[in-house]
Each structure stands twice: as structure tokens, then as C-alpha cells.
Amino acid sequence: MTPREKAEKLHKKVNTFILSCVGSDGYPLTKAVVPGKYRESLSEMYFCTNTSSKFVAEMSRNQKSNVYFYSRKIVWWKGCLLKGDMEIVTEMSIKEKYWQSIFKNAYPQKSFTDPDFCVLRFTPTSGRFYADFKLADFEI
């Protein structure tokens, strides 16, 4: 199995993703998010957050971003760092697709049409997979 295939497999299993972007002060800005409703491929990933978040404000100025996800057992780690660009999704059909009923309490309009409901699309260009004390870089 290639490093990318291993990363794809891990991507479909994990429960937390760490997003990072470059802040306006030049330092990284990082936030943890739950996985999207659908996880089709590493080639295009979606995350839900608030339009009013500091992360969205900073990311809209500089789309260069990283996504990190991992699985940890006592002494066994697997992780993947992806490098690419993040953008705000404006297509209502995609926002509707990623809306979940559990989000209702977080948004006044209780719908994907709420202006504070934001879907981010991450398009990676490369990755680094770690497992068994070894690193492997790959292109996407």
C-alpha cells in the first residue's frame, strides 16, 4: 500500500482534524474540528465552522493551510499532514450537503442558510504520512 493509500484509509477512520492557516501576524493559527459528514477522498476535503470565527477571517486573507489528522494508541501512532489551500464554499448545494441536524443549536436560523454557517474546502497538493517510526512524503 502506498503512503497516500495509507493516508486515505486513516482519513476515513479518525475523529479529529487539526486545521492551520497563516495568521495576519505571520504566526500559525490552529483549530481542531470534527470530521465532515462525508469523507470521499484526500483530494478535496470539507470542514464546517463559523463564518464569524477568527480562523475563517485569517484564512480568507491567506489560503495557504495545513490539515493534520492522526490515530494514537499506547505506543503506536499514525498521522498525516496535508499541505494545500483552503477556501470558503459559497455554493448552497454544498453547504446543504454538509449541514447536520446536530448543528441546529449552534445557529439561530437552524439551517445551512444561516450566514454564520461556513463550509471550508481544502485542496491539498502534498502530504506526509507517518507510521511505524517512518515518514513518507507524497503528492496529490
Side-chain angles (χ1 to χ4, degrees):
M1 192 178 300
T2 68
R4 180 178 172 164
E5 290 169 334
K6 290 176 185 177
E8 289 271 6
K9 186 176 177 183
L10 182 64
H11 159 254
K12 293 184 178 172
K13 287 184 181 180
V14 298
N15 293 319
T16 303
F17 289 80
I18 311 295
L19 310 182
S20 295
C21 67
V22 180
S24 58
D25 60 2
Y27 288 92
L29 180 65
T30 302
K31 86 183 278 174
V33 296
V34 295
K37 189 174 179 180
Y38 304 101
R39 295 189 244 180
E40 292 95 358
S41 162
L42 287 182
S43 299
E44 190 174 77
M45 301 167 73
Y46 292 86
F47 303 98
C48 300
T49 190
N50 297 83
T51 305
S52 59
S53 72
K54 181 171 179 142
F55 185 88
V56 169
E58 297 290 350
M59 183 279 311
S60 66
R61 292 185 197 124
N62 184 344
Q63 294 185 330
K64 293 183 187 321
S65 302
N66 284 335
V67 171
Y68 184 75
F69 51 94
Y70 67 96
S71 174
R72 176 183 169 221
K73 303 226 168 145
I74 295 172
V75 293
W76 173 79
W77 281 75
K78 286 185 181 180
C80 183
L81 174 68
L82 300 174
K83 179 173 66 172
D85 292 315
M86 189 92 60
E87 64 182 309
I88 298 169
V89 173
T90 57
E91 297 93 16
M92 292 307 274
S93 61
I94 294 174
K95 291 179 77 168
E96 182 177 21
K97 178 180 177 179
Y98 285 92
W99 174 261
Q100 297 180 52
S101 61
I102 61 170
F103 296 157
K104 286 183 179 181
N105 291 334
Y107 298 96
Q109 292 185 10
K110 302 191 181 310
S111 165
F112 67 92
T113 60
D114 191 299
D116 199 34
F117 177 64
C118 183
V119 175
L120 300 174
R121 177 181 15 238
F122 178 70
T123 307
T125 56
S126 63
R128 173 172 277 185
F129 184 77
Y130 172 83
D132 303 320
F133 306 105
K134 297 176 187 155
L135 290 171
D137 293 328
F138 59 93
E139 298 298 316
I140 296 184

